[in-house]
Amino acid sequence: MSTIDIPAGSGFGLANLPYGVFSPPGAPPRVGVRVGDSVVDLAALLGDDVFARPSLNAFLAQGRARWAEVRERITELVSGDVPGAAVHPLSAVRLHLPFEVADYVDFYASEHHASNLGRLFRPDAAPLMPNWKHLPVGYHGRAGTVVVSGTDIVRPCGQRKAPDEDSPTFGESRRLDIEAELGFVVGTGSPLGTPVACADFAEHVFGAVLVNDWSARDIQAWEYVPLGPFLGKSFATSVSPWVVPLLALEAARVPTPDQHPRPLPYLAETEPWGLDIDLSVEWNGEEVARPPYREMYWSPAQMLAHLTVNGATCRTGDLYASGTISGPEKHQRGAFIELTWGGREPVTVKGEQRTFLQDGDEVCISATAPGADGGRIGFGEVRGRILPARPQ
Amino acid sequence: MSTIDIPAGSGFGLANLPYGVFSPPGAPPRVGVRVGDSVVDLAALLGDDVFARPSLNAFLAQGRARWAEVRERITELVSGDVPGAAVHPLSAVRLHLPFEVADYVDFYASEHHASNLGRLFRPDAAPLMPNWKHLPVGYHGRAGTVVVSGTDIVRPCGQRKAPDEDSPTFGESRRLDIEAELGFVVGTGSPLGTPVACADFAEHVFGAVLVNDWSARDIQAWEYVPLGPFLGKSFATSVSPWVVPLLALEAARVPTPDQHPRPLPYLAETEPWGLDIDLSVEWNGEEVARPPYREMYWSPAQMLAHLTVNGATCRTGDLYASGTISGPEKHQRGAFIELTWGGREPVTVKGEQRTFLQDGDEVCISATAPGADGGRIGFGEVRGRILPARPQ
């Protein structure tokens, strides 16, 4: 038995307690909670087989009362002496995708991002589409290519056509980009035909992860009319290995920015679910952007209410992401296409002028939020490196 | 022991042998094959537990050689005397969703449909987008709301805005429509970063189902820019309960129509995977359209090659649908928005003038194809009835 060391300012103290899936050397994956620089094996700590599985889904499906009860019990136990066999150094374990992704939806909830992309993709039209301030625009992505942080990203190939070319060519993407986002993980599903009201958000959503929605802008620009992004996005979406429970984000809750025109009643927020989360985007180790989640126009409660208002089910393991987080300032933009204004205004990264991603580049997105103890809690990071395209 | 009666012209003789999931009264779901008006319990017939499961997925994952071997063995066994305990009358069993849907993609592969919708949605522009003849346009749909034939469809609610209205209103869809499609079921997946060549289509795809991609046109028209259809589609997608194996469709294979401009090399077909399948759309029991699958511009082999060319995985249980099947003639249009030209040219259904779906309406899509024995094989049907919207 020993106490778990929690370094000051680690972001992973008792105010956080995020869940993930890990495997110690030679052992199969199971559910753990991060405390400081340690991972606590929950099946060993709590003696509950729901945690002796390679994904969080079974626990997620147990619902909000159970999530609260387990969090209380963990808080109590890890505050005291913990059996040594239940504690692993973070550096000694492998981290896995924390949940099996059911459906994946990507929203577009930052007014600054949507306006910037409108200007870049449709320079001759109004930056925001007429629907944008009436509903959280979103679309379905590919659940099967959601990967955990640390997974290498092979540069995708596909069709691209520049405006001045007559016909498309096939080859590797030359405008490979990131999108720094927050993703929400559904715990308790809803049956077909039963919308989830904004007020019921926390009954259904378990927690949040960081998302890097890798984007091949040249593939996307050619393919996306009229049915939306497809191969420009579907090659990979990376998520952070730790799911921060909503219960740890109480101190981060803030109102969304003023919404005009006033949203239709089904989108009316009954309580604030804006989130005061600070993201940081590092490109090859140099911070190039600090996107502020509190600037997001639509809240995650509004996103879920919209997603289900037509009667669509949500399911345990559904992931829906916010869309790129961009603030009003240039250094707050969460995608390189915005940061470099379509590649026309390079940024300096480790002394080099850069626009889109080069082979060998590594991107790391991290985030922190206010915690209930007056300190900051951490989301950890979502990291990925670009490998050269495979010969076709 | 007894022989299974196969009525002449049933479409479910030995040339077909489609797979589904059924439950006899009081027993759990398991895999069966349809023969005439009977369902043969494959776990009972073959003594293999892979069929004693509530979905086809485990069998699908076993791969092409195994699919062929099982088909041969079933053919041999059901040609002779079959143990009575393995045979159930179709009328006595319940049919379920035949496979767990991993990712769902919907293509847009009919030139006639895409042109018609272009004229209706964007009357001031060219009907086909510039990319349409270069790639099979597609997008991801909601896997969690794929339902089996016979599931009632609750009229969805959502935001609609007519062009002459200043702002959107919330309410039930007034332009509820169908899309008659064919869906392809992936058996063997592909790893991340490894495109599936056109030539390898039949290594990966197990078979085909009928799909009704229910569409709320008013919701779709308001929401779909710039990221594509979302709630206008995600409330429900119905599939037929029988998966017709590709092995039963050999006699249906035809070349696709001429493709100009010539597709890029990764989309070059190495063998014909157009399919000579005749669909029939019944509205309240009256046939209103006969969409011809052989008119589809892009083949399912090209769709899969495109879907994976960026390195995206495909997985066991992936479903990708063709998009609405429409031929050049008016009576060949597989969606009511086309058949009634945006609601401006009503059709007569059982003596009534109709445009979009009313509460209580029932739609049944069926199909047949040439079989290896010189007769026709049947896909069965995908059927659904519209229930009134739920009070919100």
Side-chain angles (χ1 to χ4, degrees):
Chain A
M1 303 289 280
S2 60
T3 54
I4 301 174
D5 181 49
I6 303 177
S10 89
F12 293 95
L14 299 183
N16 194 351
L17 300 177
Y19 295 81
V21 170
F22 75 102
S23 47
R30 76 276 310 270
V31 173
V33 71
R34 180 166 171 186
V35 181
D37 294 324
S38 301
V39 182
V40 180
D41 179 331
L42 288 186
L45 184 74
L46 302 174
D48 185 338
D49 274 356
V50 81
F51 300 111
R53 304 186 190 199
S55 92
L56 277 166
N57 291 51
F59 173 56
L60 297 183
Q62 292 184 329
R64 188 185 188 186
R66 173 76 175 145
W67 306 335
E69 177 191 307
V70 167
R71 183 172 169 84
E72 267 187 45
R73 186 78 180 122
I74 294 172
T75 304
E76 187 186 318
L77 291 173
V78 301
S79 304
D81 281 347
V82 178
V87 183
H88 301 266
L90 182 60
S91 57
V93 305
R94 186 164 161 216
L95 298 174
H96 303 272
L97 190 64
F99 56 100
E100 292 163 53
V101 184
D103 270 300
Y104 166 47
V105 165
D106 196 23
F107 282 95
Y108 195 51
S110 158
E111 182 174 359
H112 306 289
H113 170 70
S115 301
N116 286 337
L117 256 65
R119 288 188 191 100
L120 288 164
F121 274 71
R122 297 173 298 277
D124 303 325
L128 286 183
M129 291 290 185
N131 57 15
W132 199 90
K133 291 217 161 178
H134 293 279
L135 53 83
V137 168
Y139 69 103
H140 285 91
R142 192 160 186 83
T145 50
V146 175
V147 297
V148 71
S149 173
T151 306
D152 289 332
I153 305 301
V154 176
R155 180 180 298 275
C157 290
Q159 291 195 26
R160 311 92 18 121
K161 191 185 89 59
D164 60 345
E165 291 172 335
D166 286 338
S167 56
T169 54
F170 180 83
E172 55 188 69
S173 173
R174 301 180 193 111
R175 290 164 71 90
L176 188 55
D177 196 0
I178 66 151
E179 297 200 328
E181 310 192 8
L182 200 64
F184 298 90
V185 182
V186 172
T188 314
S190 63
L192 199 64
T194 309
V196 175
C198 281
D200 292 334
F201 167 67
E203 289 292 330
H204 291 272
V205 167
F206 173 76
V209 291
L210 297 172
V211 175
N212 186 346
D213 182 32
W214 305 94
S215 299
R217 300 298 181 189
D218 39 4
I219 295 172
Q220 181 186 353
W222 168 235
E223 75 177 356
Y224 90 106
V225 281
L227 301 184
F230 186 34
L231 299 189
K233 302 279 193 170
S234 66
F235 55 97
T237 305
S238 299
V239 299
S240 56
W242 299 110
V243 185
V244 175
L246 285 192
L247 289 166
L249 291 169
E250 280 297 314
R253 293 174 62 181
V254 291
T256 47
D258 278 346
Q259 297 180 331
H260 296 289
R262 186 200 293 268
L264 284 162
Y266 80 93
L267 291 172
E269 283 226 286
T270 50
E271 42 176 336
W273 274 111
L275 293 165
D276 182 17
I277 301 172
D278 287 330
L279 281 81
S280 166
V281 178
E282 287 185 3
W283 191 342
N284 294 340
E286 178 162 339
E287 184 179 80
V288 293
R290 292 195 60 84
Y293 195 83
R294 69 187 155 280
E295 295 280 347
M296 299 299 274
Y297 191 86
W298 297 105
S299 83
Q302 292 175 313
M303 294 177 208
L304 186 62
H306 186 64
L307 179 56
T308 58
V309 75
N310 67 347
T313 46
C314 62
R315 292 182 293 170
T316 298
D318 276 352
L319 171 67
Y320 64 95
S322 61
T324 304
I325 304 162
S326 289
E329 307 299 330
K330 183 164 178 176
H331 72 278
Q332 295 178 325
R333 295 175 186 166
F336 297 159
I337 192 172
E338 291 172 81
L339 207 58
T340 66
W341 209 248
R344 296 193 287 278
E345 301 173 12
V347 292
T348 305
V349 177
K350 298 272 182 188
E352 291 181 36
Q353 296 284 91
R354 305 298 288 277
T355 53
F356 293 98
L357 288 161
Q358 296 183 3
D359 293 344
D361 278 1
E362 188 172 57
V363 174
C364 179
I365 302 168
S366 59
T368 64
D373 59 0
R376 308 277 305 168
I377 61 172
F379 278 75
E381 59 183 38
V382 55
R383 180 186 292 274
R385 193 162 32 131
I386 307 303
L387 298 189
R390 304 226 173 122
Q392 302 258 332
Chain B
M1 303 290 277
S2 60
T3 56
I4 300 174
D5 182 47
I6 304 176
S10 88
F12 293 94
L14 299 183
N16 193 350
L17 301 177
Y19 294 79
V21 171
F22 75 102
S23 46
R30 75 278 309 270
V31 174
V33 70
R34 179 165 171 187
V35 181
D37 295 323
S38 300
V39 182
V40 180
D41 180 331
L42 287 186
L45 184 75
L46 303 174
D48 185 338
D49 274 356
V50 82
F51 300 112
R53 304 188 192 196
S55 93
L56 277 166
N57 290 50
F59 173 56
L60 297 183
Q62 292 184 330
R64 189 185 188 186
R66 172 76 174 146
W67 308 333
E69 175 192 306
V70 167
R71 182 172 170 84
E72 265 186 45
R73 184 79 179 124
I74 294 171
T75 304
E76 187 186 318
L77 290 173
V78 301
S79 304
D81 282 347
V82 178
V87 183
H88 301 267
L90 182 60
S91 57
V93 305
R94 187 166 159 214
L95 298 174
H96 303 271
L97 190 65
F99 55 99
E100 292 163 51
V101 183
D103 271 299
Y104 167 47
V105 165
D106 197 22
F107 282 95
Y108 196 52
S110 158
E111 181 175 0
H112 307 289
H113 171 69
S115 301
N116 287 336
L117 256 65
R119 289 187 190 102
L120 288 164
F121 275 70
R122 297 173 297 277
D124 302 325
L128 286 184
M129 291 291 186
N131 57 15
W132 199 91
K133 291 218 162 178
H134 293 280
L135 53 83
V137 169
Y139 69 104
H140 285 91
R142 192 158 186 82
T145 51
V146 175
V147 298
V148 71
S149 173
T151 306
D152 289 332
I153 305 300
V154 176
R155 181 181 297 275
C157 289
Q159 292 195 26
R160 312 89 21 117
K161 191 185 89 60
D164 60 345
E165 292 172 335
D166 285 339
S167 56
T169 55
F170 180 83
E172 55 189 68
S173 172
R174 301 181 192 110
R175 289 163 73 88
L176 187 55
D177 196 0
I178 66 152
E179 296 200 329
E181 310 192 7
L182 201 64
F184 298 89
V185 182
V186 171
T188 314
S190 63
L192 198 64
T194 310
V196 175
C198 281
D200 291 333
F201 166 68
E203 290 293 329
H204 291 272
V205 168
F206 173 76
V209 291
L210 296 172
V211 175
N212 186 346
D213 182 32
W214 306 95
S215 300
R217 299 299 180 188
D218 39 3
I219 295 172
Q220 181 187 353
W222 168 236
E223 75 177 355
Y224 91 106
V225 281
L227 300 185
F230 185 33
L231 299 188
K233 302 279 193 171
S234 65
F235 55 98
T237 305
S238 300
V239 299
S240 56
W242 298 109
V243 185
V244 175
L246 286 192
L247 290 166
L249 290 170
E250 280 297 314
R253 294 175 61 181
V254 291
T256 46
D258 277 347
Q259 298 181 330
H260 296 289
R262 185 199 296 265
L264 284 162
Y266 79 92
L267 291 172
E269 284 226 286
T270 49
E271 40 175 336
W273 274 112
L275 293 164
D276 182 18
I277 301 172
D278 287 331
L279 282 80
S280 167
V281 179
E282 286 185 4
W283 191 344
N284 294 338
E286 180 163 338
E287 184 180 80
V288 293
R290 292 194 62 82
Y293 195 83
R294 69 186 155 279
E295 294 281 346
M296 299 301 273
Y297 192 86
W298 297 104
S299 83
Q302 292 175 313
M303 294 177 209
L304 186 61
H306 186 62
L307 180 55
T308 57
V309 75
N310 67 346
T313 46
C314 62
R315 291 183 293 170
T316 297
D318 276 353
L319 170 67
Y320 64 95
S322 60
T324 304
I325 304 161
S326 290
E329 307 297 331
K330 182 163 178 175
H331 72 279
Q332 294 178 325
R333 296 175 184 164
F336 297 160
I337 193 171
E338 290 172 82
L339 207 57
T340 67
W341 208 247
R344 297 193 287 276
E345 301 172 11
V347 293
T348 304
V349 177
K350 298 273 182 185
E352 291 180 35
Q353 296 284 93
R354 304 298 287 279
T355 53
F356 292 99
L357 287 162
Q358 297 183 3
D359 293 344
D361 278 2
E362 189 172 57
V363 174
C364 179
I365 303 168
S366 59
T368 65
D373 59 359
R376 307 278 304 170
I377 62 172
F379 278 76
E381 59 183 38
V382 56
R383 180 186 292 274
R385 192 163 31 134
I386 307 302
L387 297 188
R390 302 229 174 119
Q392 301 258 334

